[in-house]
Each structure stands twice: as C-alpha cells, then as structure tokens.
Amino acid sequence: MTKNYDLVLLGGGTGGYVAAIRASQLGLKTAIVEKDALGGTCLHKGCIPTKTLLRSAEVYDQIKKSSAFGIDVSEVALRFEKIQERKQTIVEKLHHGIQQLMKKGKIDVYNGLGRMLGPSIFSPLPGTISVEFADGRENEILTSKNVILATGSRPRSLNGLVIDGIHVLTSDEALNLNECPKSIVIVGGGVIGVEWASMLADFGAAVTIVEYSDRIIPTEDKTLSITLARSLKKRGIKIVTSAQVLPETLEKNEGVTISAKIGDQLQTFSAEKMLVSVGRLPNTEDIGLSNTSIETDRGYIKTNAFGQTKESHIYAIGDVIGGLQLAHVASHEGIKAVEHLAGLPVEPLHSELVPRCIYTHPEIASIGLTEAQAKKEHVVKVGKVPFGAIGKALVYGDSEGFAKVVADKTTNDLLGIHIYGPHATDLIGEAAVAKLLDATPWELSEAIHPHPTLSEIIGEAALAVDGRAIHI
Ligand SMILES: Cc1cc2nc3c(=O)[nH]c(=O)nc-3n(C[C@H](O)[C@H](O)[C@H](O)COP(=O)(O)OP(=O)(O)OC[C@H]3O[C@@H](n4cnc5c(N)ncnc54)[C@H](O)[C@@H]3O)c2cc1C
C-alpha cells in the first residue's frame, strides 16, 4: 500500500519525534517510522534511565551522609530491583506521553524498519520509504515531499572486544543490571564512562576507569578534568590514563581480566564486569543510503548547516550526523530542519551555544570554549569562584567545586562558562541564555541572582572576570 506525506521521519528518537511535532504545528502531513520504541536512545537507553539510576545513587549516598545534617539512620539497604522498577516506571510514563503527543499532532507512526528506495515507480526522486514489519505484514510504501533521517547511534566497541552482555557490557546492557556488581572496569573515561563510574561507586562497587587519553573527559576544560579525577579518586575510584586496552588479552572466568599498555608497561585489571564506553557508531548501514547520492564521513551523514544532505529534499539530524551527540542537539537540529524545509527563516545551530552536561557527583556543565581553546584565538580574562563562597552550597551540604567564566579581554565577549559542583547541569541554562543573547560578563553580573541560591555563583564568577567578585 502507498501513502503520501509532506514529511516522513526515519527514526522516532528525540530528534525524530520533536521534528515531527514541529512539522505538525506547521500543518505538514507527517509520519514517523520507528523500528523500536518512540523516544529512542535518550528515553530508553540514555538520558532518562541513566539519570534515574544516578538519582537513586545520589539518594543512597545522601542517606549514608545524613548524620552530618543531624539525622541518624540506623539501617540503609539497597534494593536494586526497586531502583530498576522506578526507572522503568518513569521511562514508561514518558513513553506514553510521547505517544499521546503523536496522537495530538495527528502524526502517523509506523512501527517497523524503514529503508529508502531509489527512484522508482513511486517517485522519480530517491527517498520513498519502504517499511518492513516484524510480524511479517506486507511492507508499506510511504512517499513524501521531504524525508528526515534521524536514525541515531549505537554503542561502539574496541576492535576484537566482543560485547557478551554478561561480563562485557556497553551502557545498553549495564542499564538492565539486576544488581550492582562488586567491581567493574570501565574502558573509556568520557562522559558515559565517568557517569557510570560515579553512579556505581555511590552504589558501592569498586570501580576502575581505564582511559586512552592522558586525562578523563578529555574534550572538556582541563580544570574540570583534573578536579573530577581528584574527586573520583577521593571516593575510591581508580583512574588509569594514557592506557591502551588490548582486547586480545581479555579473559573471562568468574569475572573478567584484561590488560592495557601504559608506556612500555603492561597492567592487568580484573573485575566482576567490564563496561565498554568508547563512543558511538551511526545507524546508517541499513537505511538505503546507497539508493541515494547522500554522502557520509566515517559512517556519519554529511549535511549542510540546516541538515540538508546531497539530496536536497532529504535532511538528517541528531546522532546520525555526528558532532555533539546530545538529545538537545538532536531536537534543535530537528526543529531547524523542519523550519528550513517549510521555507521559514532559520539560523544554523552554533556548537558554541550548546550546553554540555555530565551527571557525575558533583555535576559538570559547560558551554562555549575551554580556556585552552579560547587562548588560541583570544587574549582572555578568567573569573573563577568556588562553591565554598556561596551560602546556599553550604546549606545544601555540597560545596565542592567552582564556576569559571572565560571572556575576551578586549571585546568582553563571553567565550566559555564551566561549572563543577552541585546542580551544575541546571545552572548552565542561564549561561546558555547569556551566550545566545551575546551578553558580556558585566551584563551577566548585572542580572540579579536571588539569595540564597546556587545561581549566585554565576554572577560572582562573572564579576570575578574583572576582579570585582564580592565573596572571595
Ligand atoms: C548512556 C547514555 C546516556 C546519555 N545521556 C544523555 C544526557 O544526559 N543528555 C543528553 O543530551 N544526551 C544524552 N545521551 C545522548 C542522547 O541519548 C542522544 O544524543 C539522542 O538520543 C540522539 O537522538 P537521535 O534522535 O539522534 O537518535 P536516537 O535517540 O538514537 O533515535 C534514533 C531512533 O531511530 C530508530 N531507528 C534506527 N534505524 C531505523 C530504521 N531503519 N527504521 C526505523 N527506525 C530506526 C531507533 O530505533 C531509534 O529509536 C546519552 C546517551 C547514552 C547512550
């Protein structure tokens, strides 16, 4: 059967379903083809389930420290099955919410695997979608004026390192652990690796991070890396950097043993489980790209600043085009692609306006250039204020960390903001607005921050740029 649309989205993850809603708002007849579940990685295997587990880990840790708040608790027990149950309830609630939004927007959802056809009897242009259903129903054919590819990404492993889902896991399998492992080796100290390290350590696991680069979270500002490493080590997490894990040395018995080359030395790591968090791969293999002239770079779909591929009626957004693989990037790219194909004026998405969040304990959040990046092109001035100077952080019982503002000394342009500390991921929202509005540190400090709040640290750090901080 053939159905005709203005827009068909391949993939109903954060990028796909948000783009579909925007298309429906603009009056476009829209369909989503999703092979698994609406909400994609973020809802089912990423942002939401991991942050739910992290919240349980945080509560557990807080209870253990409650005597500092004058509250003595006699017995604390971890019930992992209840933690998993809570996670699932939240995921299902949000999943239901997205399904309702699809109904509200009159967006047709095809629960099957979509592939693009080349020019055919259905259309002289490539991009007609053939939908294959798992239950063997006859394929549906969807023709459309425009297509958005939003097929996302999946975990990558090291060459030769087989994910067995029992001893050797990626974040996909780790999410479904029904108990906290006693010990774990985490290969890769990027965002996903350090979040799991922080969480599992709070749950009581003995954690070792083995990282190829010379520091964990290597793409973030160096002070953030150093401070996080120090804090994780203080909590008993072992961190080994400049280490090349050798997949061929993997041995599995009761647990796992693997070796890594560190300089000329070999070091061996043993643990009950191993988590491989070494990046992601784009889902581009089986979507019919070869039937089009769409180009890829290391598997990632190449687009222009508005998401248009080499086939100008076919767009691509989100993880499948690479860059910053974040849910809020995917959704913004989705909205921009839809507005562009609908002929609305659109500003391209600038990566320096994208907040980056790491949900360790304490949290990390940043936007714009790191200090080192800024120094390559600017003469900079830096303001840094510790959370210890902020009353609310002491009240909150979590005053570890700092906020740092990096600005251009001559033009006063705000170049980067980096926060390490309690609720950093919520605080960065203000920095995103400041960057969008091209605010100067002075304007940021003129904004009145209510007292006592953690947000005062942003105003203080902005003042500190010109040596005007009040509380340090
Ligand atoms: C452990 C983890 C934690 C994360 N935490 C955060 C976080 O805290 N904050 C944040 O911003 N980001 C986070 N991310 C990243 C975030 O999940 C992704 O950036 C986001 O999901 C990308 O959205 P997307 O729409 O591009 O792709 P996806 O969400 O991956 O969606 C793609 C969808 O396409 C479907 N699909 C693929 N191929 C086909 C096909 N041929 N036919 C039909 N359907 C298809 C898939 O089933 C999937 O549902 C995390 C990721 C992971 C793995």
Side-chain angles (χ1 to χ4, degrees), residues 100-408:
Q100 291 308 108
L101 289 172
M102 295 300 104
K103 282 194 188 131
K104 184 178 159 214
K106 299 193 171 40
I107 297 158
D108 289 342
V109 178
Y110 294 87
N111 197 205
L113 180 95
R115 289 190 192 91
M116 286 181 294
L117 304 179
S120 63
I121 49 164
F122 305 110
S123 167
L125 292 176
T128 295
I129 305 287
S130 163
V131 188
E132 183 184 306
F133 299 99
D135 61 10
R137 249 180 304 156
E138 195 184 329
N139 284 16
E140 292 260 17
I141 300 293
L142 314 180
T143 61
S144 183
K145 289 182 194 136
N146 288 104
V147 170
I148 296 183
L149 303 172
T151 50
S153 65
R154 61 186 187 280
R156 185 173 91 82
S157 184
L158 294 175
N159 260 346
L161 196 57
V162 179
I163 307 297
D164 63 13
I166 299 163
H167 295 100
V168 185
L169 320 171
T170 67
S171 58
D172 283 3
E173 294 80 23
L175 272 176
N176 297 320
L177 285 170
N178 40 32
E179 57 184 25
C180 178
K182 291 194 175 48
S183 57
I184 189 157
V185 175
I186 299 182
V187 179
V191 177
I192 293 176
V194 295
E195 283 187 4
W196 277 96
S198 177
M199 178 210 305
L200 292 172
D202 276 349
F203 280 139
V207 180
T208 305
I209 300 175
V210 186
E211 163 59 41
Y212 181 75
S213 171
D214 62 354
R215 60 185 172 103
I216 55 169
I217 51 164
T219 54
E220 287 298 340
D221 193 277
K222 204 167 181 174
T223 48
L224 294 177
S225 290
I226 293 169
T227 321
L228 177 65
R230 199 182 300 140
S231 161
L232 293 179
K233 282 179 187 167
K234 229 164 77 189
R235 287 164 54 202
I237 297 170
K238 283 193 200 131
I239 301 176
V240 183
T241 52
S242 304
Q244 187 191 354
V245 166
L246 305 171
E248 65 276 16
T249 63
L250 176 71
E251 279 177 33
K252 289 188 262 182
N253 30 54
E254 296 288 275
V256 282
T257 300
I258 197 155
S259 299
K261 208 166 142 218
I262 303 156
D264 299 336
Q265 309 282 312
L266 268 194
Q267 195 173 332
T268 300
F269 305 92
S270 296
E272 187 183 326
K273 307 258 181 213
M274 181 158 93
L275 173 69
V276 183
S277 51
V278 293
R280 313 264 307 162
L281 289 173
N283 292 328
T284 42
E285 288 85 359
D286 193 22
I287 58 172
L289 283 183
S290 58
N291 297 325
T292 71
S293 58
I294 294 173
E295 293 176 347
T296 58
D297 178 14
R298 284 162 297 148
Y300 290 99
I301 297 174
K302 282 165 85 170
T303 68
N304 66 13
F306 306 102
Q308 250 173 329
T309 66
K310 218 34 196 323
E311 304 276 3
S312 60
H313 63 298
I314 303 178
Y315 289 66
I317 57 163
D319 280 14
V320 78
I321 66 171
L324 287 168
Q325 292 182 309
L326 294 167
H328 42 285
V329 171
S331 55
H332 273 258
E333 285 172 349
I335 290 169
K336 284 179 187 295
V338 169
E339 291 182 349
H340 190 261
L341 68 85
L344 298 179
V346 186
E347 269 292 303
L349 189 140
H350 298 291
S351 61
E352 72 269 21
L353 299 183
V354 177
R356 309 176 294 267
C357 297
I358 306 180
Y359 297 78
T360 42
H361 165 215
E363 292 181 344
I364 289 178
S366 58
I367 189 163
L369 301 178
T370 65
E371 189 176 340
Q373 285 167 340
K375 278 180 174 161
K376 283 188 190 150
E377 290 174 24
H378 305 261
V379 178
V380 305
K381 49 183 180 178
V382 175
K384 193 173 167 198
V385 170
F387 271 100
I390 305 298
K392 182 71 179 286
L394 300 183
V395 171
Y396 195 70
D398 199 352
S399 55
E400 184 184 347
F402 60 85
K404 172 165 136 178
V405 172
V406 182
D408 186 297

Side-chain angles (χ1 to χ4, degrees), residues 11 15 34-35 40-42 47 51 114 150 152 280 319 325-328:
E34 169 55 56
K35 70 180 167 67
T41 304
C42 176
C47 328
K51 271 79 236 179
R280 313 264 307 162
D319 280 14
Q325 292 182 309
L326 294 167
H328 42 285

